[in-house]
Amino acid sequence: MRTFTFLFLIFCLISCKDKQLQTAEFDEIIQYKLDTLAVDEIDITDILSGEAIQNISDTLIIEQFTEFGFVRSEVDKSNHIKLNRTLTSNENTIDNTKCLPIYRDFLILKKKNRTVGIFKICFECSQLNYIDASTNEERLMTDENSLVLDKLLQ
């Protein structure tokens, strides 16, 4: 009986650990960053709240981001591994109560020119939301990961 209790305790400790977020395989990352000087944020509240993008097939709105005041850029391939490691770190928690996010940054993960994943990012409250074909997960980034991510995306 003691062995069973001990094994049960070990199992509980292992399963309680935050799991690392897994992203879809990608070969390109497109960043959209809101140019706050060029846009009236009231007109795009559905985008900023994250409601305009609820699943991976919501790509029509993404194609219009530049019309709404977002600046499009391609993330350098040399940063892909470090960026993915930062975004998916198991140090990032699932507790997302820090603030109500306003997503001004989006990372579109692509594989062979097809969208396979979307990160919605709020740097003010260090919150991110990841969407792919099977996942819709919100997490808080550690402040350190938030700073690393901000630096990588500049």
Side-chain angles (χ1 to χ4, degrees), residues 9 11 13 17 27 34 38 47 60 63 75-76 78-79 81 88 93 111 118 125 131 137 152:
L9 181 62
F11 176 74
L13 289 173
K17 205 173 192 182
D27 56 19
L34 185 64
I47 296 172
L60 286 178
E63 293 171 8
V75 176
D76 190 328
S78 65
N79 289 331
I81 293 172
T88 61
T93 64
K111 178 80 173 188
I118 301 169
C125 61
I131 302 168
E137 188 162 350
L152 283 171

Side-chain angles (χ1 to χ4, degrees), residues 23-39:
T23 60
E25 284 190 33
F26 59 90
D27 56 19
E28 179 182 23
I29 302 175
I30 306 296
Q31 177 187 13
Y32 287 93
K33 183 175 190 66
L34 185 64
D35 181 357
T36 54
L37 298 175
V39 70

Side-chain angles (χ1 to χ4, degrees), residues 82-133:
K82 190 167 186 174
L83 189 64
N84 192 41
R85 191 178 314 128
T86 302
L87 289 166
T88 61
S89 169
N90 61 359
E91 294 173 0
N92 297 334
T93 64
I94 297 173
D95 174 20
N96 57 5
T97 58
K98 196 170 182 181
C99 75
L100 184 61
I102 299 174
Y103 300 111
R104 292 184 181 96
D105 293 87
F106 294 83
L107 296 178
I108 312 303
L109 308 180
K110 293 191 171 227
K111 178 80 173 188
K112 297 181 181 175
N113 291 324
R114 195 176 133 257
T115 300
V116 294
I118 301 169
F119 276 100
K120 301 184 277 187
I121 303 169
C122 174
F123 281 107
E124 284 77 22
C125 61
S126 299
Q127 190 165 327
L128 59 88
N129 180 289
Y130 175 69
I131 302 168
D132 66 16

Side-chain angles (χ1 to χ4, degrees), residues 15-68:
S15 65
C16 290
K17 205 173 192 182
D18 289 332
K19 65 177 182 162
Q20 187 165 347
L21 180 64
Q22 298 294 314
T23 60
E25 284 190 33
F26 59 90
D27 56 19
E28 179 182 23
I29 302 175
I30 306 296
Q31 177 187 13
Y32 287 93
K33 183 175 190 66
L34 185 64
D35 181 357
T36 54
L37 298 175
V39 70
D40 182 0
E41 291 186 13
I42 295 171
D43 291 341
I44 58 170
T45 55
D46 283 350
I47 296 172
L48 298 178
S49 69
E51 302 214 5
I53 302 173
Q54 294 293 315
N55 59 56
I56 197 70
S57 62
D58 292 335
T59 56
L60 286 178
I61 192 75
I62 294 169
E63 293 171 8
Q64 299 173 346
F65 270 11
T66 54
E67 297 169 28
F68 294 127

